[in-house]
Amino acid sequence: MSVDTSEFRTRLEEERGRLANAVNFLHAESTITLEDELGEIGSGGTDNHLGDTASATYDRGLDQGLEEGAQQTLVEIDAALKRIEDGTYGICEVCGKPIPPDRLRAIPWAKLCIEDQRRVG
Ligand SMILES: [Zn+2]
């Protein structure tokens, strides 16, 4: 094992916590925004109501994309932590060669070397 997994385990766990918070925040935020809009409609709205609604809808779409991206990364991070447990962390899943530490520092949950990642797309 040429890779120092303790360094990456710490980074993965930190990133995992950060993303979990972000997902919770996005969940809470979109729920609150929806309730605010419903309340506003019931109370007769404000002067620039249409503008607010349009931007709120746009923001929710953006949050949805962010949330899906964050959840996908959480899955990748969990898989990487399991690879650390299994002793296969830092090994390309396709060619079986070690993934360069520089790449793991950039993307600690990387499971493919750069060459195979390019091939997959
Ligand atoms: Zn490879």
Side-chain angles (χ1 to χ4, degrees):
M1 178 59 67
S2 58
V3 178
D4 175 15
T5 54
S6 67
E7 172 192 345
F8 294 110
R9 183 200 295 265
T10 304
R11 287 208 40 200
L12 284 162
E13 284 171 350
E14 281 174 1
E15 187 68 7
R16 194 182 189 291
R18 202 179 65 79
L19 283 170
N21 280 339
V23 168
N24 287 339
F25 174 76
L26 290 172
H27 262 305
E29 193 186 44
S30 57
T31 306
I32 289 165
T33 305
L34 186 61
E35 282 169 3
D36 283 352
E37 277 170 39
L38 291 174
E40 218 173 273
I41 292 163
S43 68
T46 56
D47 289 346
N48 55 355
H49 179 70
L50 283 174
D52 285 350
T53 305
S55 70
T57 305
Y58 175 74
D59 286 346
R60 252 208 312 282
L62 203 65
D63 286 351
Q64 189 71 36
L66 283 175
E67 192 179 323
E68 278 167 16
Q71 275 168 342
Q72 179 59 38
T73 305
L74 280 172
V75 170
E76 302 275 343
I77 288 173
D78 279 342
L81 287 167
K82 187 171 185 308
R83 288 197 297 280
I84 289 176
E85 298 297 323
D86 294 345
T88 58
Y89 180 77
I91 305 294
C92 174
E93 284 189 348
V94 173
C95 66
K97 290 180 197 161
I99 299 171
D102 281 353
R103 173 162 167 73
L104 292 173
R105 287 198 183 92
I107 311 170
W109 52 89
K111 62 189 175 197
L112 300 176
C113 67
I114 291 169
E115 286 78 12
D116 285 311
Q117 185 67 59
R118 282 211 191 102
R119 224 169 297 165
V120 172

